[in-house]
PDB file of all heavy atoms in Angstrom:
ATOM      1  N   LEU A  98     205.437 250.873  91.731  1.00 98.00           N
ATOM      2  CA  LEU A  98     206.777 251.444  91.535  1.00 98.00           C
ATOM      3  C   LEU A  98     207.648 250.392  90.875  1.00 98.00           C
ATOM      4  O   LEU A  98     207.968 249.335  91.451  1.00 98.00           O
ATOM      5  CB  LEU A  98     207.345 251.884  92.896  1.00 98.00           C
ATOM      6  CG  LEU A  98     208.653 252.807  92.817  1.00 98.00           C
ATOM      7  CD1 LEU A  98     209.874 252.116  92.277  1.00 98.00           C
ATOM      8  CD2 LEU A  98     208.392 254.051  92.029  1.00 98.00           C
ATOM      9  N   CYS A 144     205.889 252.802  99.497  1.00 98.00           N
ATOM     10  CA  CYS A 144     207.190 253.099  98.910  1.00 98.00           C
ATOM     11  C   CYS A 144     207.990 253.995  99.844  1.00 98.00           C
ATOM     12  O   CYS A 144     207.468 254.955 100.413  1.00 98.00           O
ATOM     13  CB  CYS A 144     207.028 253.800  97.546  1.00 98.00           C
ATOM     14  SG  CYS A 144     208.609 254.128  96.712  1.00 98.00           S
ATOM     15  N   ALA A 145     209.290 253.685  99.978  1.00 98.00           N
ATOM     16  CA  ALA A 145     210.138 254.432 100.884  1.00 98.00           C
ATOM     17  C   ALA A 145     210.254 255.913 100.443  1.00 98.00           C
ATOM     18  O   ALA A 145     210.594 256.794 101.251  1.00 98.00           O
ATOM     19  CB  ALA A 145     211.533 253.825 100.958  1.00 98.00           C
ATOM     20  N   TYR A 277     218.567 253.092  98.676  1.00 98.00           N
ATOM     21  CA  TYR A 277     217.775 252.876  99.912  1.00 98.00           C
ATOM     22  C   TYR A 277     218.620 253.002 101.159  1.00 98.00           C
ATOM     23  O   TYR A 277     218.647 252.092 101.974  1.00 98.00           O
ATOM     24  CB  TYR A 277     217.036 251.543  99.774  1.00 98.00           C
ATOM     25  CG  TYR A 277     216.049 251.567  98.683  1.00 98.00           C
ATOM     26  CD1 TYR A 277     216.257 251.004  97.468  1.00 98.00           C
ATOM     27  CD2 TYR A 277     214.899 252.338  98.844  1.00 98.00           C
ATOM     28  CE1 TYR A 277     215.361 251.094  96.443  1.00 98.00           C
ATOM     29  CE2 TYR A 277     213.982 252.460  97.810  1.00 98.00           C
ATOM     30  CZ  TYR A 277     214.249 251.820  96.583  1.00 98.00           C
ATOM     31  OH  TYR A 277     213.347 251.962  95.581  1.00 98.00           O
TER      32      TYR A 277
HETATM   33 MO1   MO B 521     209.657 252.021  96.494  1.00 50.27          MO
END
Side-chain angles (χ1 to χ4, degrees):
L98 193 292
C144 181
Y277 296 103

